[in-house]
Amino acid sequence: MNNFNAIRKMVGKARIFAGLFLICIVLPSLASAFVDHLPEVGQVNDNNDVPIHVSTVAHFSEKQVKEAMIRRAKAVHDLWANFGNNDKDDVAKEDAAPVTPTPVDSTPTTTPVDPTPTPVDPTPNPGPVNPVPADPTPNPVPANNVPAGYPGATQGPPVAMGYGGAPITQNPSDQQTVPEQAGAAQNHPTPEEIKEQRKHAGLQVGFYDSTCPNAEKIIKDGMNRAFGNDSSMAAPIGRLLFHDCFVNGCDASILLDKTPSGARVEKLAPTNGATIRGFELIDEIKAELEAECPGIVSCSDLLVYLSRDAFVVSGVPYYDVPGGRRDGMESLEANVIGNLPLPDNTVDKMIDLFKKKGLTEEDLVVLIGAHSIGVAHCFSFRYRVDNPVKATMVDPRLAGVMKFTCTTPMSTLAFDTTTQYKMDSVYYKQLSGKRALLESDALLNEDPRTKDFIQKFGDDENGWFIKFGKAMNKLTSIQVLTGDQGQIRKQCRFVN
């Protein structure tokens, strides 16, 4: 017992000795070493308060060290404050999604390579060289948010409401005293006349090879840049082209904000309005083209090339597109009526409309495949599930998705929820399985004149790709202006 007590006393004394050694010897040594190295990170540049490392050690007073640390803390605070402000400017894009890899363009180029390295532009989507004024003609939507002409639309003049019910400014043309002009009745050319027009249209592949060699590259780069920032940008460009070409031909009239007549323009028509976008991208690319080769590339060719690139970046193999179109000088809202298909059109109406433009039943089904990408607004299909007869043509699972998604008429749902940003034949398989959003698309699978094409393209994606390029070139040669017709606009929103 005495031995055990002796051992305990010895252990206690050892602990006391170790504590005194730590306090008196070790800690002062560590403190001295820390103070000697503190100035290495404490020295501050008076110009920007950013710490500077130095190779030699200098000793500061305690006051100097405290002041240096205070300035450093302030610099860090300011840095994070600026970083937070920049985040506020980054507005999320609607329908944004993971970026689909951009197909590599295998088309050879004859543009000489500049051996001088080009500085990298830190901005992924630079602004136009010549800034274009903000769009003065927002897209109007009626009071119940359903555009006129669509199922469930309220009759009467449009109410000044924008996308989602936001207030909009009045069309500048409406402020003028010029009376609104009725659109002239269109004399649709016969298929034979259209073939003759195309034969002498003057369109050719490589049209700008000598006058603006980089034109197609500038347009392609602009589309790739936009798609890289927002995968949903491809579909709206194709929609713009289709809505332009079906109204008085491919003359970029849908891009005009106003014309000398002062009448309401095409983009204000109910079937366009809030359902079309992409004008800012076209403004940006047009400014780049004007900086490269002023007054050479037309807005109509820009839209055609851009649409091709939008489909290619979405998965369609590259196809050549002829150029040489010139821009129209007229754009009338009244001309849109009866010239664009509606989501509740019968197959007879669609075939008749396409034949007036020189397109066949097969072309109709081929071009409907563009619905492989993009979205539809609920006002264009929600009514189907509320109608007992029409509801039988909708897959019950899709009907449930429609009801769940469509909280407002302007809500959207992807045409192809499986591969929303990829052009492929999946959409045709969905048509065969009653999974079409639009009634007009669903009816194509019921009609013997078009049903076989849907089955064919669903089973042969490569065959559809080939026909798609050909059908697009037929579409983009409808009633084009060439030679000395029309003009080459300096800005796509306004005539010269």
Side-chain angles (χ1 to χ4, degrees), residues 49-61:
D49 289 343
V50 177
I52 302 175
H53 292 274
V54 295
S55 59
T56 60
V57 178
H59 293 276
F60 290 128
S61 66

Side-chain angles (χ1 to χ4, degrees), residues 398-417:
L398 177 60
V401 174
M402 289 179 175
K403 293 178 180 179
F404 177 80
T405 303
C406 293
T407 55
T408 70
M410 292 303 293
S411 299
T412 60
L413 184 62
F415 282 111
D416 175 5
T417 55

Side-chain angles (χ1 to χ4, degrees), residues 348-427:
D348 285 336
K349 286 184 178 180
M350 288 188 289
I351 289 178
D352 180 62
L353 178 58
F354 273 65
K355 281 188 175 180
K356 289 178 179 178
K357 310 300 178 181
L359 301 171
T360 65
E361 290 93 337
E362 183 179 31
D363 293 329
L364 164 62
V365 179
V366 168
L367 294 174
I368 284 295
H371 285 168
S372 176
I373 58 177
V375 299
H377 290 82
C378 286
F379 62 72
S380 63
F381 62 81
R382 177 64 173 81
Y383 68 93
R384 297 178 65 197
V385 295
D386 295 328
N387 184 307
V389 176
K390 296 181 185 294
T392 60
M393 296 179 60
V394 183
D395 181 281
R397 293 168 296 179
L398 177 60
V401 174
M402 289 179 175
K403 293 178 180 179
F404 177 80
T405 303
C406 293
T407 55
T408 70
M410 292 303 293
S411 299
T412 60
L413 184 62
F415 282 111
D416 175 5
T417 55
T418 306
T419 55
Q420 179 180 352
Y421 303 98
K422 186 176 185 296
M423 287 283 287
D424 53 29
S425 61
V426 172
Y427 188 65

Side-chain angles (χ1 to χ4, degrees), residues 5-78:
N5 290 334
I7 292 173
R8 288 182 60 186
K9 290 180 181 180
M10 292 178 63
V11 172
K13 291 179 180 181
R15 288 178 177 174
I16 294 172
F17 177 78
L20 292 174
F21 178 79
L22 177 64
I23 295 172
C24 298
I25 305 300
V26 177
L27 291 181
S29 299
L30 292 175
S32 176
F34 176 76
V35 172
D36 287 343
H37 287 82
L38 187 59
E40 184 175 355
V41 296
Q43 186 170 346
V44 175
N45 184 333
D46 291 334
N47 293 329
N48 53 20
D49 289 343
V50 177
I52 302 175
H53 292 274
V54 295
S55 59
T56 60
V57 178
H59 293 276
F60 290 128
S61 66
E62 183 179 355
K63 180 179 180 181
Q64 288 176 313
V65 172
K66 289 182 177 179
E67 291 175 349
M69 298 305 290
I70 291 173
R71 288 198 297 270
R72 177 171 181 170
K74 183 178 183 300
V76 173
H77 175 272
D78 293 341

Side-chain angles (χ1 to χ4, degrees), residues 105 107-115 118 206 208-218 220-221 292:
D105 186 358
T107 306
T109 176
T110 58
T111 305
V113 179
D114 186 356
T118 303
Y208 296 104
D209 284 352
S210 59
T211 56
C212 192
N214 290 327
E216 291 192 48
K217 182 180 184 303
I218 290 173
K220 181 187 72 173
D221 290 347
E292 176 79 10

Side-chain angles (χ1 to χ4, degrees), residues 291-333:
E292 176 79 10
C293 37
I296 299 298
V297 183
S298 67
C299 296
S300 51
D301 273 348
L302 190 168
L303 182 55
V304 171
Y305 288 132
L306 190 65
S307 296
R308 184 266 311 274
D309 296 330
F311 290 127
V312 169
V313 80
S314 302
V316 173
Y318 180 90
Y319 59 94
D320 286 322
V321 169
R325 301 164 192 80
R326 290 172 66 86
D327 301 326
M329 302 171 65
E330 178 188 69
S331 180
L332 295 174
E333 177 186 15

Side-chain angles (χ1 to χ4, degrees), residues 68-221:
M69 298 305 290
I70 291 173
R71 288 198 297 270
R72 177 171 181 170
K74 183 178 183 300
V76 173
H77 175 272
D78 293 341
L79 177 63
W80 280 105
N82 291 334
F83 185 79
N85 290 336
N86 290 336
D87 282 348
K88 295 177 182 178
D89 297 331
D90 295 332
V91 181
K93 295 288 186 180
E94 182 184 356
D95 298 335
V99 177
T100 305
T102 303
V104 178
D105 186 358
S106 58
T107 306
T109 176
T110 58
T111 305
V113 179
D114 186 356
T116 305
T118 303
V120 178
D121 185 354
T123 58
N125 196 359
V129 177
N130 300 317
V132 179
D135 185 356
T137 56
N139 301 323
V141 179
N144 66 344
N145 279 335
V146 180
Y150 288 94
T154 301
Q155 301 298 322
V159 179
M161 296 178 64
Y163 192 92
I168 63 174
T169 56
Q170 194 175 19
N171 175 18
S173 300
D174 294 342
Q175 300 173 8
Q176 303 177 19
T177 57
V178 180
E180 182 171 331
Q181 300 179 1
Q186 297 190 66
N187 295 319
H188 297 288
T190 64
E192 291 74 18
E193 290 174 338
I194 292 175
K195 289 180 181 179
E196 190 66 19
Q197 290 173 2
R198 288 173 179 161
K199 183 178 179 181
H200 303 286
L203 303 181
Q204 64 182 52
V205 174
F207 183 83
Y208 296 104
D209 284 352
S210 59
T211 56
C212 192
N214 290 327
E216 291 192 48
K217 182 180 184 303
I218 290 173
I219 296 171
K220 181 187 72 173
D221 290 347

